[in-house]
Amino acid sequence: QVQLVESGGGLVQPGGSLRLSCAASGSIFSIYAMGWYRQAPGKQRELVARITSGGSTNYADSVKGRFTISRDNAKNTVYLQMNSLKPEDTAVYYCNRVPYAPGSWGQGTQVTVSS
């Protein structure tokens, strides 16, 4: 079972940037595809970025060209660089395997985009 701890969220103005980090432990991290998910108030959790064990990436249309997912297998860490943030990016952001492991959700990190 993978344990995941997200960090790096905060309050940022529209157009700003944030870098999220996800530290993983407790399993063989490097063999899994990993993803960043987000859940806005009143909405379902959605996958916004995915990276395979080999480093291939995919993005939801809503974040394509603005967000970049990366991973450092030596540090068991996944990152999400978020640029040109919009108010609609406001959500709690989580990382997890793709497909997700139900028992591995962390506490998430809040991202709020507001002026």
Side-chain angles (χ1 to χ4, degrees):
Q1 190 79 317
V2 178
Q3 288 85 48
L4 302 161
V5 178
E6 302 92 348
S7 62
L11 173 63
V12 63
Q13 292 187 342
S17 298
L18 283 173
R19 189 192 195 206
L20 307 184
S21 299
C22 170
S25 62
S27 188
I28 306 173
F29 169 81
S30 63
I31 69 172
Y32 296 123
M34 296 295 296
W36 281 97
Y37 302 75
R38 69 184 181 188
Q39 187 167 20
K43 295 188 177 182
Q44 289 189 335
R45 194 170 298 181
E46 60 172 342
L47 177 66
V48 298
R50 169 182 176 268
I51 186 166
T52 67
S53 58
S56 297
T57 58
N58 301 94
Y59 300 93
D61 288 343
S62 58
V63 307
K64 199 171 294 183
R66 300 187 297 121
F67 289 11
T68 302
I69 188 171
S70 61
R71 66 191 298 164
D72 185 336
N73 289 336
K75 295 182 178 180
N76 278 11
T77 302
V78 182
Y79 304 98
L80 187 67
Q81 177 67 43
M82 305 187 295
N83 299 328
S84 303
L85 283 161
K86 304 176 181 180
E88 50 264 43
D89 295 319
T90 295
V92 180
Y93 284 72
Y94 304 86
C95 68
N96 205 326
R97 291 165 50 183
V98 180
Y100 66 81
S104 293
W105 293 110
Q107 82 289 350
T109 185
Q110 175 71 48
V111 172
T112 302
V113 185
S114 175
S115 54

